[in-house]
Amino acid sequence: MAIPLKKVLVSDAVDNACVELLRKHGLDVTCRYKMTKEELIQEIQDYDALIVRSDTKVRADVLAAATKLRVVGRAGTGVDNIDTEAATRKGVIVLNTPGGNSISACELTCALITSLARNVAAGSQSLKEGRWDRKLYTGEELSGKTLAVLGLGRIGREVAIRMRSFGMRVLGFDPIVTSEQAAEFGVEKLELEQIWPKADYITVHTPLIPQTKNLINENSLTKCKKGVKIINVARGGIVDEQALLAALKDGRCGGAGLDVFSEEPPKSDLLRELIQHPKVLATPHLGASTGEAQVRVAVEIAEQLIALSKPDSGFSVTGVVNAPVLSALRNPSNTPWVSLGKRLGSIAAKLTLGATFKGVNVGIITQGHVTENMRFLSTAVLSGMMSSRTANGLNLINAPVLAEEAGLKIAQKHSGNAESQAFVSVRVGITGMDHVVTGTSRGGESWLLSIDDAVFSSGVPLNENTLLFQGTNASTDCTNLIGELVKCGVVITNMAVAVGNAVWISVQTHTPLDKTVDIPNVKAF
């Protein structure tokens, strides 16, 4: 699925490799840095894509003004400066560069751990000031100590691998990583309540979301081993800074390595006191600040924009934050099934007879090996269902959000023998009535197999040349339908009839019909 991108605005300083690569592939790039919000709102109206780092705040009001915007890309990992919910509702794709700064952030984490263990910063400053405090800055070996890694994504895994080489035992916590997966890179997965009393060092590598805000807090610090050391190179706010300062003061915490803060630059009295504490080693958000990482994230975000606009470019989309269906569409074999889902959803919506969607249940059943892992079909079906009820702007990114707001409830499951024919059924349930539409994909085209109990013996193609009608009497309805279409100058190439409780008539025409045809007792779909 190509997304037309022509004009790109870069509002934060990124390595010039990004701009050069975009321009090489024909995109028009403008760089404007340090704009006020008002200036950004005025400027963004003319662009299809926006590239930011951490300075630009892409909030709901900015997105509302961006009438042409299709993509926001962050040259970095976190996207807390982008209102992803507002972007999703507007149908704007949010991208990041998940692998671009992983090594740099990992290496800084390891540097902070080793520096805390050996009092490197304090010892260096002492010597610079003319003192020789060898006994004062006696450290500890990391070998035999226990490191807890909270968040086992790219960075967390790299940290675990490197610190195991120091002889550390590594524990880990991540709700979406299994114990078997963690064991593959030498980590023993435990729950948080098991980790707190065991860890000598704790490092966090999670995004800042409601579930991780103040993950390390007064309560957890009290449960930790006395003298535990805390490292945060992820996001400010994951560690409760007030609780951390209190633990440093009373000895529960033996040291902290902090690269990120809840306020950047830190200005509050609390943060100033925390940074100045003798057991704190603090750096000014340097996790991604290496020459290699800056080039890497710049190139990675540019490659993703090019991949979206030119699917045959050879680049891939690796950092979709809010539209998992796009990952499925990177595989061309999935595209026909997305089209099928949208077409079945459109028919299913019309079967609700104009009912509001509030409380409507949608069930998707897939069968056959090909469809076994097509979770993206729910998005495609919702997109089709909402297309007849929603103003311009609906797409595969915002369809699930808009459907939820409309009251649609959807569930999907796979059923049947893997060797059986691959098909998709969409069931819509409204008060006192259920309807089922079933179809499949053949040769890259969408085919309708049945509606409720009416089965098309060979199926009918669903394309722009197909007309679908509902009637009550096969013989008279078909005769009337053909007569009216011929009067309108329509050339009919094929016709199929499916009879059940209702009569369904499919007509293929030589060219798409460009007007409405009214036929007595026959309803056009």
Side-chain angles (χ1 to χ4, degrees):
M1 182 181 72
I3 297 176
L5 302 177
K6 295 181 180 179
K7 297 186 66 177
V8 181
L9 174 63
V10 181
S11 62
D12 292 335
V14 298
D15 191 272
N16 198 50
C18 173
V19 176
E20 291 178 353
L21 186 56
L22 290 171
R23 287 175 175 164
K24 179 181 177 181
H25 285 266
L27 279 76
D28 181 4
V29 184
T30 300
C31 299
R32 281 198 62 189
Y33 307 146
K34 299 188 180 300
M35 285 184 284
T36 64
K37 183 174 76 170
E38 292 70 27
E39 289 172 335
L40 177 60
I41 287 174
Q42 184 63 36
E43 183 75 19
I44 195 64
Q45 299 176 33
D46 295 327
Y47 293 90
D48 307 302
L50 172 66
I51 293 177
V52 303
R53 288 198 66 210
S54 55
D55 290 343
T56 299
K57 311 303 178 188
V58 189
R59 302 307 183 202
D61 50 357
V62 173
L63 290 162
T67 55
K68 298 180 181 179
L69 194 67
R70 307 295 298 276
V71 183
V72 177
R74 184 177 188 276
T77 304
V79 290
D80 42 292
N81 59 316
I82 302 171
D83 189 333
T84 55
E85 183 178 343
T88 302
R89 184 172 288 104
K90 192 175 175 65
V92 174
I93 302 167
V94 178
L95 303 172
N96 67 356
T97 54
N101 58 19
S102 297
I103 298 301
S104 294
C106 159
E107 290 181 353
L108 179 59
T109 300
C110 297
L112 291 175
I113 293 172
T114 55
S115 295
L116 285 173
R118 299 304 301 271
N119 299 306
V120 172
S124 174
Q125 186 61 34
S126 170
L127 189 59
K128 287 176 182 290
E129 294 172 358
R131 298 190 300 276
W132 189 259
D133 297 322
R134 291 185 66 192
K135 292 184 179 179
L136 181 61
Y137 294 118
T138 299
E140 64 180 9
E141 291 184 350
L142 292 174
S143 181
K145 301 298 188 301
T146 298
L147 170 67
V149 180
L150 309 186
L152 298 173
R154 289 176 175 85
I155 300 172
R157 295 182 184 208
E158 295 291 347
V159 170
I161 291 169
R162 284 158 179 74
M163 297 318 297
R164 285 186 67 240
S165 69
F166 279 78
M168 298 192 82
R169 174 194 180 194
V170 182
L171 309 178
F173 170 78
D174 193 309
I176 63 174
V177 174
T178 66
S179 297
E180 292 74 20
Q181 291 170 330
E184 290 177 2
F185 48 95
V187 174
E188 179 185 353
K189 182 184 175 182
L190 297 176
E191 296 303 315
L192 289 174
E193 292 303 310
Q194 297 172 293
I195 285 175
W196 302 133
K198 292 182 171 66
D200 299 294
Y201 293 78
I202 301 175
T203 178
V204 294
H205 299 285
T206 71
L208 178 61
I209 56 177
Q211 294 86 344
T212 62
K213 184 174 176 60
N214 294 335
L215 180 64
I216 296 180
N217 52 45
E218 176 68 25
N219 183 46
S220 55
L221 285 166
T222 299
K223 296 176 181 178
C224 285
K225 183 184 295 188
K226 183 177 176 61
V228 66
K229 296 178 176 64
I230 306 296
I231 298 90
N232 186 6
V233 184
R235 279 289 179 267
I238 298 174
V239 177
D240 182 336
E241 291 150 335
Q242 185 168 359
L244 177 62
L245 180 59
L248 286 163
K249 288 180 175 180
D250 64 24
R252 282 175 295 155
C253 180
L258 305 175
D259 183 52
V260 290
F261 305 89
S262 58
E263 177 189 38
E264 294 183 358
K267 296 177 181 178
S268 69
D269 292 341
L270 169 66
L271 291 179
R272 289 180 182 276
E273 184 179 1
L274 178 63
I275 291 169
Q276 293 295 330
H277 194 281
K279 293 183 179 179
V280 170
L281 182 56
T283 50
H285 204 146
L286 299 179
S289 294
T290 64
E292 295 87 347
Q294 294 309 301
V295 172
R296 202 178 294 123
V297 297
V299 170
E300 189 175 336
I301 200 65
E303 289 177 347
Q304 292 188 76
L305 291 188
I306 295 165
L308 286 174
S309 61
K310 300 177 180 179
D312 58 351
S313 63
F315 297 129
S316 60
V317 183
T318 56
V320 179
V321 174
N322 66 334
V325 69
L326 293 182
S327 298
L329 287 176
R330 294 208 303 270
N331 183 348
S333 65
N334 289 331
T335 303
W337 293 94
V338 171
S339 298
L340 173 66
K342 292 170 71 173
R343 294 181 187 278
L344 294 180
S346 178
I347 296 172
K350 293 173 183 176
L351 289 170
T352 62
L353 304 176
T356 64
F357 282 149
K358 189 171 181 60
V360 171
N361 294 309
V362 183
I364 301 173
I365 297 177
T366 58
Q367 182 169 298
H369 175 70
V370 172
T371 64
E372 188 169 1
N373 296 309
M374 291 185 176
R375 303 304 305 173
F376 57 83
L377 281 172
S378 60
T379 298
V381 169
L382 290 175
S383 177
M385 292 192 71
M386 296 297 296
S387 62
S388 61
R389 311 280 182 100
T390 306
N392 291 337
L394 174 77
N395 59 26
L396 289 170
I397 292 89
N398 59 15
V401 173
L402 297 178
E404 183 179 1
E405 291 178 349
L408 280 171
K409 300 178 181 178
I410 191 163
Q412 180 176 338
K413 69 176 182 178
H414 186 75
S415 177
N417 189 325
E419 300 300 323
S420 63
Q421 178 188 5
F423 66 77
V424 178
S425 289
V426 178
R427 178 184 295 273
V428 286
I430 57 178
T431 304
M433 191 184 309
D434 276 5
H435 291 285
V436 182
V437 187
T438 300
T440 190
S441 178
R442 297 175 185 163
E445 289 189 340
S446 300
W447 285 72
L448 176 64
L449 300 178
S450 65
I451 300 177
D452 294 334
D453 60 342
V455 178
F456 292 97
S457 58
S458 299
V460 293
L462 291 173
N463 54 43
E464 59 181 2
N465 290 8
T466 298
L467 306 176
L468 187 63
F469 300 91
Q470 182 185 29
T472 56
N473 184 291
S475 58
T476 58
D477 290 341
C478 287
T479 302
N480 292 338
L481 180 58
I482 292 172
E484 291 297 327
L485 290 174
V486 170
K487 285 181 186 179
C488 295
V490 176
V491 177
I492 299 173
T493 60
N494 196 17
M495 175 180 278
V497 179
V499 180
N501 288 329
V503 174
W504 292 93
I505 306 168
S506 168
V507 178
Q508 275 78 57
T509 62
H510 184 264
T511 57
L513 191 65
D514 58 0
K515 56 181 152 182
T516 302
V517 179
D518 293 322
I519 299 132
N521 302 317
V522 176
K523 178 182 178 183
F525 266 68

